Amino acid sequence: MSEPVESDASLLVVILDINASAWARSPLSIDSALQQTIIFVNAYLALKPENQLVVLASSKRQCKCLYPPEDKSIVPDQDIQVYEQFRVVDVSILAGTKQMLTGAEAAAVDVNRGVEESQTLISRALSKALCHINRVSEATLGKIWSRILVVSAADDSPREYISLMNSIFAAQKMSVLIDVCKVIGNDSVFLQQAADISGGTYLKLNTGESLLQTLMFTFLADHYTREIMFMPGNEQIDFRATCFCHKRVIDIGFVCSVCLSIFCKMAPVCSTCRTKFSIRLFRPENKGAPASNGQTMRTGSQQTLSASSSASMSQGTLH
């Protein structure tokens, strides 16, 4: 794999979390956060004329591309005091965000059941970002270094664990960095893993007022600049998984051999893929003695459950 050089172009995909319920808990308003993010993306475009930008907005209900605008009818007013591309970026992000927030308030029926109001479906935005990065990389003659920046304010959604991990490993294979700027709330376990696996940076703000400063001095650096900079790291990363049955972070659990769903308790049927496990009931002669076929038995009861078919649920430590 080639090393980045100073003349290489960059592609930055910014994913904005615009969950109104999550931002309501923050001392920093969503309008102020958008203004500071716009200053950051304009600074990124001003660094090099070859730089490319994509801005995605994600909420509980939908994911939409704000820039380049999908609606070509949005034409900004001419202003001789503002660079034309900056003006297009400003109008596209603000107009698209306003449209999404208005539509979210008008929606009476929530199609995403099981997702709390303070959660945002980031996996959709990551998948969309990776698809765009792959399309641009295939169409570009020279080398272009891509990265994703997630500006997050919402909590993790356990139901999107599989899709999110698939996107993370896809980004790792494509050498795409995933940076995360956590504005408010508790640390995101999933996004911490995303930044660590992909080689990006995870940073949680102590105060919302430092958002612009953090974006400019930490996440503005491209691949080449990061090789000569000391980037902030996160040594305390929680690599535990979340069970699919009770949405709890667990250390030891049962894994479905078909869809790799994780459960905290043994179940005869996988609730994700509906696979039925062939379970054999038998009485051990000596409690605590290992089974003759090498399978592990649970002692302390008169009957022992043992998976005996190819579709089994195996127990193990989750790392």
Side-chain angles (χ1 to χ4, degrees), residues 251-296:
D251 295 307
I252 300 177
F254 296 87
V255 181
C256 173
S257 60
V258 177
C259 66
L260 301 182
S261 297
I262 303 171
F263 304 94
C264 59
K265 295 182 179 180
M266 180 68 180
V269 180
C270 177
S271 61
T272 303
C273 64
R274 311 309 301 177
T275 298
K276 296 181 180 180
F277 305 112
S278 178
I279 301 178
R280 181 177 56 194
L281 299 179
F282 63 92
R283 297 176 182 273
E285 296 181 358
N286 297 323
K287 293 183 178 181
S292 59
N293 58 359
Q295 296 174 338
T296 303

Side-chain angles (χ1 to χ4, degrees), residues 213-229:
Q213 178 182 354
T214 303
L215 294 176
M216 296 292 286
F217 287 93
T218 304
F219 299 110
L220 190 61
D222 56 9
H223 287 71
Y224 172 78
T225 309
R226 295 187 183 203
E227 293 188 350
I228 57 178
M229 288 182 59

Side-chain angles (χ1 to χ4, degrees), residues 10-315:
S10 298
L11 170 61
L12 174 63
V13 181
V14 180
I15 299 177
L16 298 176
D17 181 0
I18 59 170
N19 189 316
S21 300
W23 283 101
R25 304 172 303 176
S26 172
L28 180 67
S29 65
I30 188 172
D31 293 335
S32 179
L34 285 175
Q35 293 292 344
Q36 297 183 44
T37 306
I38 289 175
I39 297 175
F40 164 74
V41 297
N42 286 337
Y44 163 79
L45 292 174
L47 286 178
K48 192 178 300 181
E50 295 84 5
N51 285 352
Q52 300 185 36
L53 173 69
V54 177
V55 180
L56 303 176
S58 179
S59 64
K60 177 185 176 181
R61 295 173 175 84
Q62 61 178 325
C63 174
K64 182 180 179 181
C65 181
L66 303 182
Y67 180 85
E70 297 177 349
D71 186 4
K72 302 300 181 181
S73 62
I74 300 179
V75 179
D77 298 333
Q78 297 294 330
D79 190 347
I80 60 174
Q81 297 182 352
V82 180
Y83 181 53
E84 183 178 358
Q85 187 176 11
F86 294 170
R87 184 63 178 170
V88 174
V89 172
D90 298 354
V91 173
S92 300
I93 294 178
L94 294 177
T97 303
K98 182 179 179 181
Q99 183 179 4
M100 290 184 63
L101 292 176
T102 304
E105 295 176 356
V109 179
D110 187 9
V111 296
N112 295 315
R113 297 178 180 178
V115 182
E116 299 179 0
E117 288 296 330
S118 61
Q119 297 175 348
T120 300
L121 300 180
I122 296 294
S123 61
R124 294 182 182 179
L126 282 177
S127 301
K128 204 168 191 177
L130 292 174
C131 290
H132 186 88
I133 290 174
N134 182 70
R135 183 169 64 250
V136 172
S137 300
E138 294 292 335
T140 304
L141 297 178
K143 179 63 178 178
I144 184 169
W145 296 91
S146 305
R147 53 194 175 100
I148 300 174
L149 172 62
V150 181
V151 181
S152 173
D155 300 328
D156 288 334
S157 176
R159 63 171 292 186
E160 61 172 1
Y161 175 76
I162 291 182
S163 57
L164 187 60
M165 294 305 297
N166 289 338
S167 299
I168 294 173
F169 289 120
Q172 182 188 36
K173 186 176 181 179
M174 297 169 60
S175 300
V176 175
L177 303 181
I178 300 180
D179 296 327
V180 181
C181 181
K182 183 66 174 177
V183 181
I184 58 172
N186 299 324
D187 283 319
S188 172
V189 176
F190 296 162
L191 293 181
Q192 279 184 329
Q193 297 180 21
D196 184 77
I197 294 174
S198 64
T201 301
Y202 177 94
L203 193 60
K204 180 182 177 183
L205 303 183
N206 295 326
T207 172
E209 300 299 329
S210 61
L211 175 60
L212 179 59
Q213 178 182 354
T214 303
L215 294 176
M216 296 292 286
F217 287 93
T218 304
F219 299 110
L220 190 61
D222 56 9
H223 287 71
Y224 172 78
T225 309
R226 295 187 183 203
E227 293 188 350
I228 57 178
M229 288 182 59
F230 182 77
M231 301 296 293
N234 188 6
E235 298 180 355
Q236 298 179 353
I237 302 177
D238 192 351
F239 283 101
R240 293 179 298 173
T242 302
C243 69
F244 286 42
C245 47
H246 300 93
K247 314 303 180 186
R248 296 180 301 190
V249 178
I250 57 177
D251 295 307
I252 300 177
F254 296 87
V255 181
C256 173
S257 60
V258 177
C259 66
L260 301 182
S261 297
I262 303 171
F263 304 94
C264 59
K265 295 182 179 180
M266 180 68 180
V269 180
C270 177
S271 61
T272 303
C273 64
R274 311 309 301 177
T275 298
K276 296 181 180 180
F277 305 112
S278 178
I279 301 178
R280 181 177 56 194
L281 299 179
F282 63 92
R283 297 176 182 273
E285 296 181 358
N286 297 323
K287 293 183 178 181
S292 59
N293 58 359
Q295 296 174 338
T296 303
M297 299 187 301
R298 299 180 63 183
T299 61
S301 60
Q302 295 296 327
Q303 294 180 337
T304 302
L305 299 180
S306 176
S308 60
S309 68
S310 57
S312 62
M313 183 173 287
S314 55
Q315 183 184 25

